[in-house]
């Protein structure tokens, strides 16, 4: 198997793991045994393509649709499930829940449910790196809804003026909570807004994992060479409603986007190239399902936090 084929298999396996994780979380939520979640189903290529192009020196700040980013970074699915279920074995000892997971050992600084909240903090994290002369850059994930917030413009302006090593990643999934993006923003694409600050930017097919990976590698190289920020706009589609168990809207737009599902596209590409067959695809799916089965079992068997630790990690000693 060629290196390219191995890379494709690895990217597909990662996307399948993310899909399996979210599908099981959605099913658990529907059964009433899981908290409300904001799914990123359909956006797997964006997570895998970007995160796979980063190094261990790079920091990540993400938003309320963070499961894909965490798993692509190598997060343990069991600890993520445990955190979502409020168990002590979770990444934040059961205190953050599904929507606020951070994993310092993976360089994931935070998950913010405040729309655009990670944008304000990414500038500070990048400034700290610059002042300490630390290697690496800061990757900040946000949606098209956050791009309508004032903090988006403040963050980009400061990063451009101070020449900070920030990779801004806009996952433009066409929907802002319950409102379509065309109802809240004039002009397309968002990359033009970044260029207004003298920042390099590029719009990419966010449902093509290889296109995302190539564009991210190019952007990352530019940031490392210049020390200046860069914005990627990944055009993708949110296949579920805003908050589970919301029913996703049915429309001709959704039907068109479903034809470009990132996993199905990658599978067809690999089948056509003879890099995998139906049995190989089935095996990858079985491996992903088995990993999530184990994750749920681990989380379900984990204890809840001791009430005596209620204020632990809340107040400084």
């Amino acid at each position: 198997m060629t290196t390219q084929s191995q890379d494709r298999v690895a990217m597909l396996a990662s996307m399948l793991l993310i899909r399996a994780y979210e599908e099981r979380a959605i099913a658990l939520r529907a059964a009433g045994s899981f908290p409300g979640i904001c799914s990123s189903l359909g956006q797997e290529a964006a997570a895998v393509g970007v995160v796979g192009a980063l190094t261990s020196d790079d920091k990540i700040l993400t938003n309320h649709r963070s499961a894909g980013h965490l798993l692509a970074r190598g997060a343990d699915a069991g600890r993520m499930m445990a955190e979502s279920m409020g168990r002590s074995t979770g990444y934040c000892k059961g205190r953050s829940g599904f929507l606020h997971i951070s994993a310092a050992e993976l360089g994931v600084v935070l998950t913010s449910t405040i729309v655009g909240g990670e944008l304000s903090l990414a500038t500070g994290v990048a400034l700290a790196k610059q002042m300490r002369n630390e290697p690496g850059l800061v990757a900040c994930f946000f949606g098209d809804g956050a791009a309508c917030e004032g903090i988006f413009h403040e963050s980009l302006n400061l990063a451009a003026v101070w020449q900070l090593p920030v990779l801004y990643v806009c996952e433009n999934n066409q929907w802002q909570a319950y409102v379509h993006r065309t109802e809240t923003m004039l002009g397309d694409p968002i990359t033009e807004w970044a260029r207004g600050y003298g920042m390099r930017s590029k719009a990419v097919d966010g449902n093509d994992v290889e296109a995302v990976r190539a564009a991210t590698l190019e952007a990352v190289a530019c940031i490392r060479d210049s020390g200046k920020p860069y914005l990627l706009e990944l055009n993708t589609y949110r296949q579920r409603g805003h908050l589970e168990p919301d029913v996703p809207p049915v429309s001709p737009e959704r039907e068109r986007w479903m034809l470009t599902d990132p996993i199905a596209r990658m599978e067809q590409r690999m089948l056509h190239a003879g890099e995998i067959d139906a049995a190989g695809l089935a095996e990858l799916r079985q491996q992903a399902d088995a990993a999530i089965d184990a994750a749920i079992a681990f989380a379900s068997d984990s204890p809840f936090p001791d009430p005596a630790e209620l204020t632990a990690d809340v107040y400084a000693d």
Side-chain angles (χ1 to χ4, degrees):
M1 184 179 291
T2 66
T3 300
Q4 182 186 48
S5 297
Q6 291 175 335
D7 288 344
R8 283 180 168 180
V9 170
M11 287 190 287
L12 177 58
S14 185
M15 288 194 292
L16 287 171
L17 179 66
I18 295 168
R19 179 70 60 93
Y21 181 94
E22 296 228 79
E23 286 180 338
R24 292 295 293 278
I26 290 167
L28 289 170
R29 171 57 179 163
S33 57
F34 208 73
I37 64 171
C38 291
S39 165
S40 60
L41 205 77
Q43 300 176 208
E44 296 87 0
V48 173
V50 171
V51 176
L54 303 177
T55 72
S56 59
D57 289 326
D58 301 326
K59 301 294 185 183
I60 296 174
L61 290 88
T62 181
N63 59 11
H64 48 284
R65 303 187 194 280
S66 65
H69 309 143
L70 285 155
L71 289 169
R73 186 65 166 180
D76 181 86
R79 292 184 65 188
M80 287 177 60
M81 280 289 181
E83 186 60 43
S84 300
M85 294 181 181
R87 306 306 174 95
S88 62
T89 55
Y91 273 103
C92 300
K93 302 177 184 179
R95 291 177 171 82
S96 76
F98 190 91
L99 299 173
H100 298 92
I101 298 176
S102 63
E105 62 267 42
L106 299 174
V108 181
V109 179
L110 61 81
T111 294
S112 173
T113 54
I114 299 173
V115 177
E118 68 277 20
L119 283 161
S120 61
L121 295 170
T123 309
V125 174
L127 179 61
K129 271 187 167 293
Q130 184 187 75
M131 294 176 69
R132 295 170 178 169
N133 197 30
E134 293 178 352
L137 54 82
V138 175
C140 179
F141 289 91
F142 61 99
D144 45 298
C148 291
E149 297 282 329
I151 194 60
F152 166 82
H153 297 278
E154 293 178 40
S155 179
L156 265 65
N157 180 62
L158 278 179
V161 170
W162 291 343
Q163 297 187 16
L164 300 177
V166 185
L167 174 63
Y168 292 101
V169 182
C170 178
E171 294 176 299
N172 189 340
N173 64 17
Q174 316 305 310
W175 284 89
Q176 302 174 8
Y178 301 98
V179 180
H180 194 274
R181 68 178 182 82
T182 55
E183 298 181 56
T184 65
M185 54 178 22
L186 297 176
D188 192 23
I190 293 168
T191 49
E192 296 297 331
W193 298 357
R195 290 169 190 158
Y197 295 104
M199 187 181 301
R200 292 189 62 176
S201 62
K202 187 173 186 177
V204 185
D205 181 349
N207 279 5
D208 184 335
V209 67
E210 291 186 294
V212 174
R213 174 68 61 84
T216 305
L217 288 171
E218 178 184 333
V220 165
C222 183
I223 294 170
R224 298 196 200 285
D225 290 342
S226 68
K228 298 178 181 179
Y230 194 114
L231 183 141
L232 283 177
E233 180 179 359
L234 309 181
N235 292 298
T236 182
Y237 198 74
R238 190 187 77 201
Q239 294 184 6
R240 299 289 302 177
H242 171 58
L243 178 68
E244 293 297 335
D246 295 340
V247 177
V250 177
S251 67
E253 176 194 71
R254 185 173 189 276
E255 292 177 1
R256 291 193 303 272
W257 275 99
M258 292 298 287
L259 295 175
T260 68
D261 180 277
I263 292 177
R265 286 176 73 179
M266 192 60 168
E267 288 177 339
Q268 289 303 312
R269 184 177 298 171
M270 294 173 66
L271 285 168
H272 181 74
E275 296 172 326
I276 201 167
D277 56 18
L281 290 177
E283 183 178 357
L284 288 179
R285 290 181 178 276
Q286 289 170 359
Q287 290 172 354
D289 289 339
I292 302 308
D293 285 342
I296 293 173
F298 169 80
S300 299
D301 291 340
S302 296
F304 287 101
D306 188 330
E309 298 181 355
L310 181 63
T311 60
D313 303 322
V314 175
Y315 301 103
D317 293 332

